[in-house]
Amino acid sequence: MAQEALPDPAAVAEALDQHPMVIAAQARVKSAAADARALAKGPHEFSLTAGVVRRTVDIDGRFTEYDALLTRPVRLPGKASLDREIGRHGLDAAENRAEDARHQAALVLAEAWWDWISAASEARIDEVLIENHQRLVAAVGRREKLGDASRLEADQAEAALATARIGLEQSRGRALRARARLATQFPHLALPVDAPPVPEPDVSFGNWEKYRALILANSHEIGFARAEAARSDSLAARARRERLADPSLGFRVFSERGGMERGGGLVVTIPFGGGHRSALADRAASEASAAAADLRLVEANVAEVAATDIAEAEYRLAAWQRAREALQSQVATLTKMRRGYDLGELDLIDLLAAERLTGEAFRTEALARTEAHRAATRIRIDSHELWLND
């Protein structure tokens, strides 16, 4: 499809980078990276327990005694590697979510952009229609002075002009509203004063199967669901391992009876897991099954989006071609009716009806042209051919 009607890709990239949806997702990537580092290090830390006491013995007197214990839990074999896997999958999920946020922001921008372009196109058509009606009012006015037209016909021509002016105000209002929405949502995107004209769509736009494959292959929504499923599998494996609790190793030193008794040694603490750890493992296994089902659902949804995007692009292009043919026929009809009115063979009411139908045909063609571009833009964004660089 023609690129002329779309904003500059560099400007779009900057606007997407500054969108709150993208900024929030990038912050979550940093959070996931920190989580991955924490998981790699593990939750276990050294603990120091110490105490100093004064003891009084009736015969022996007073003694200063102390006791110190330094302990640290130790991850059993296999748990550390699973923790690192969980961190990697979590980071992968966050990165895919960030890319999908950029994708969604690009779709929002495209929708707002084409809303503005569409309304502006209608306003330009209404401006031309007003010019045509102004010429017709002037022509009827001259004929009235010559006695070839009645006052009623002059009033009818002026009423049609007034109606066209109402249409222009409405289309201009829609264009202003669409531009304001676009500027508010993407304040970092520099907008031209006037919306660019919409070129004719490329009817040979696509190898549809190529785009279908690209949409599925480049879907970060699927990437996120796949990473979440892998993370859930690792969490389930980790929960199974956690049924055997980590032991704690420590070193203890003490001094009693004022130093007359001293000692030191190793201390081992082994927790015994029970029903609670078993229930947590079962819960993690169920969540892993749910994540796998979610992945299949997301894959089906993305496949549906690809199919519907392509179907819409095909029928939008076909609809524009039919609208263009209808417009050409209506313009030819209007030309003949204008000639017939000039020759006195047709009434003004017939010419005004033809003018109205021609205006509607121009509007229908402009809308169909814009919608064809909108559908093609959506496919190019979903396939990551436009605005998204992987």
Side-chain angles (χ1 to χ4, degrees), residues 146-317:
L146 296 174
D148 292 336
S150 65
R151 182 64 249 176
L152 176 61
E153 289 179 313
D155 290 341
Q156 290 172 333
E158 290 173 358
L161 174 59
T163 300
R165 284 174 173 157
I166 293 173
L168 176 59
E169 292 301 326
Q170 291 174 334
S171 57
R172 279 179 174 172
R174 288 193 297 271
L176 288 173
R177 183 180 62 183
R179 191 183 191 281
R181 178 170 176 262
L182 179 60
T184 302
Q185 289 189 340
F186 298 92
H188 294 85
L189 180 64
L191 299 178
V193 175
D194 298 319
V198 183
E200 290 191 355
D202 181 3
V203 294
S204 61
F205 166 60
N207 179 340
W208 301 120
E209 289 307 314
K210 179 195 78 170
Y211 280 105
R212 188 192 307 273
L214 285 174
I215 291 172
L216 293 174
N218 293 324
S219 171
H220 288 290
E221 192 175 358
I222 292 177
F224 169 76
R226 187 176 291 127
E228 279 291 291
R231 179 173 174 272
S232 295
D233 284 341
S234 297
L235 284 169
R238 184 64 169 82
R240 288 193 297 270
R241 294 266 186 172
E242 195 60 25
R243 295 175 69 174
L244 181 59
D246 293 332
S248 294
L249 302 180
F251 180 71
R252 177 175 178 263
V253 295
F254 64 89
S255 174
E256 296 181 355
R257 299 182 66 84
M260 287 187 288
E261 295 181 24
R262 298 180 181 179
L266 297 177
V267 178
V268 178
T269 303
I270 302 177
F272 290 96
H276 177 70
R277 292 176 182 270
S278 178
L280 292 179
D282 292 342
R283 183 185 69 179
S286 298
E287 289 177 349
S289 297
D294 287 340
L295 172 59
R296 293 192 294 272
L297 178 61
V298 169
E299 290 173 338
N301 288 341
V302 173
E304 179 186 350
V305 168
T308 55
D309 278 359
I310 290 170
E312 181 169 2
E314 287 182 308
Y315 91 74
R316 291 292 186 187
L317 284 169

Side-chain angles (χ1 to χ4, degrees), residues 17-83:
D17 287 340
Q18 299 300 323
H19 195 276
M21 187 190 309
V22 177
I23 293 174
Q26 289 296 338
R28 292 189 180 97
V29 172
K30 294 180 180 178
S31 174
D35 282 342
R37 293 197 304 272
L39 286 166
K41 291 292 183 182
H44 301 325
E45 297 176 338
F46 285 99
S47 296
L48 175 64
T49 304
V52 178
V53 298
R54 289 278 292 172
R55 179 185 295 182
T56 300
V57 181
D58 290 342
I59 298 175
D60 297 331
R62 295 181 178 182
F63 302 99
T64 299
E65 300 179 343
Y66 67 84
D67 185 282
L69 175 63
L70 181 66
T71 60
R72 184 184 188 280
V74 178
R75 278 185 291 186
L76 291 175
K79 290 185 177 181
S81 62
L82 284 171
D83 285 339

